[in-house]
Amino acid sequence: MTNYRDAGLFLALAAVWGSAFVAIKAGLNAGFEPVLFAAVRYDIAGVLMLAYAAYVADRWLPQSRADWTVVGIAAVLMIAAYHAFLFVGETNPHVTSAVAAVGISLGPVLTTGFARAFLPAERLSVGGIAGLLLGLVGVVVLSNPDPSNLLGKSTVGVMLVFTAAACFALGSVLMQRVDDDLSIETMEAWAMLLGALLMHGLSLGLGETQAVPTNWDALISIAYLSVAASAAGFLVYFELLDRLGPIEINLVSYVAPVFAAVVGLLLLGEPITVYTAGGFVVIFAGFCLLKRRALADELGKVRTSWA
């Protein structure tokens, strides 16, 4: 990050996305059914994004098969599947906000692994394979499994979060295989709305109570997640992606857990365990090993810009 504005936006995004895990936990504690909670979040965020897309984009409605294919991939994997698994995972009392944030930080590692599998031009080196495996070891450390009960509550909760991260990573890679010309705003808006619709159907299929809690904790949580974390957060993310590139912006996944841990501790009294910290360190080490050359190049650019 070469200027104060970019650094400020980066930290703000990490703070918003990190504290979003706390908002999810707070909303669940306030009485929301998990999948319904995720669906309502994107009902609101999708409407806001569609209004914004209609204002700034040349086309607010997807037209071609490629356009709808990209929207479908994002809706199914990056909105519906990702958030359904994440929200259900956070219902587990053993999955604190910090644990969820650390689990999701595996996303950049998984994205690289999926890219090597689905994009022909990509190949994993020996060091890259080691980095990918190290990231998976971090998930094991994070879940702290009981050898006598490998399907215990802690392990199941973390594995749901891991599955959420895998869905998002796979979706981001598959989207690169489609040649579309949709604006980011239009794609996001329709993916959010279609993803919300899919989650409403899933919520009904799971037999969730369809009542939306109206207490202050629930309303504040849904407002924060819809407006700050989703609508505004994704706009900041894509602005920084254009200016900073994928390496630097991916680092937000490793700053967000710090905010999740601190906010979770202060607002919900959630403990920060040695396994949470250990899992974070191992996953981040895996990312650094996987992206060692790209990170070295970025550090060189930073030194040059400050010279």
Side-chain angles (χ1 to χ4, degrees):
M1 267 154 279
T2 56
N3 61 60
Y4 291 116
R5 182 175 183 274
D6 286 350
L9 286 174
F10 180 92
L11 288 175
L13 181 62
V16 168
W17 278 4
S19 54
F21 293 97
V22 182
I24 293 171
K25 180 69 77 172
L28 293 170
N29 291 342
F32 260 113
E33 295 278 14
V35 181
L36 178 65
F37 188 11
V40 173
R41 169 185 179 176
Y42 280 100
D43 287 334
I44 300 170
V47 169
L48 292 174
M49 282 303 302
L50 186 60
Y52 183 74
Y55 178 71
V56 302
D58 293 332
R59 288 192 296 115
W60 64 272
L61 181 66
Q63 295 177 351
S64 68
R65 178 179 294 182
D67 291 348
W68 283 110
T69 298
V70 167
V71 168
I73 291 171
V76 172
L77 291 173
M78 303 177 73
I79 301 296
Y82 169 77
H83 289 91
F85 282 116
L86 175 61
F87 278 53
V88 173
E90 281 211 56
T91 61
N92 191 307
H94 297 273
V95 178
T96 64
S97 305
V99 167
V102 171
I104 294 301
S105 73
L106 186 64
V109 178
L110 293 173
T111 300
T112 303
F114 283 130
R116 296 327 191 243
F118 290 100
L119 300 178
E122 304 285 354
R123 292 290 183 272
L124 268 180
S125 64
V126 174
I129 294 173
L132 184 59
L133 293 176
L134 193 58
L136 297 176
V137 170
V139 174
V140 176
V141 174
L142 185 65
S143 63
N144 183 27
D146 180 356
S148 64
N149 184 17
L150 293 178
L151 294 179
K153 291 182 178 180
S154 176
T155 304
V156 170
V158 171
M159 291 310 297
L160 287 170
V161 174
F162 167 76
T163 304
C167 288
F168 193 93
L170 178 60
S172 67
V173 170
L174 292 180
M175 287 175 63
Q176 297 179 47
R177 294 171 60 94
V178 183
D179 185 16
D180 72 293
D181 58 357
L182 271 183
S183 69
I184 292 297
E185 296 84 3
T186 301
M187 183 277 293
E188 276 187 33
W190 285 100
M192 287 177 177
L193 290 171
L194 180 56
L197 181 62
L198 291 171
M199 287 188 287
H200 277 295
L202 179 59
S203 175
L204 287 169
L206 292 173
E208 290 186 344
T209 302
Q210 297 301 298
V212 175
T214 56
N215 57 73
W216 278 111
D217 286 348
L219 295 177
I220 291 172
S221 296
I222 198 66
Y224 183 81
L225 289 169
S226 302
V227 179
S230 298
F234 275 110
L235 289 176
V236 172
Y237 172 83
F238 283 109
E239 180 181 347
L240 290 177
L241 179 63
D242 287 339
R243 291 213 297 270
L244 303 179
I247 301 302
E248 282 194 70
I249 194 57
N250 266 342
L251 294 176
V252 77
S253 298
Y254 301 100
V255 181
V258 178
F259 286 98
V262 172
V263 176
L265 177 65
L266 294 177
L267 295 185
L268 302 180
E270 295 179 328
I272 303 173
T273 70
V274 65
Y275 297 104
T276 304
F280 172 79
V281 170
V282 175
I283 290 172
F284 183 62
F287 171 78
C288 291
L289 183 58
L290 195 64
K291 294 291 188 181
R292 61 196 182 283
R293 294 188 181 90
L295 288 170
D297 291 342
E298 291 294 332
L299 288 174
K301 294 176 184 177
V302 171
R303 292 194 190 99
T304 301
S305 66
W306 284 97

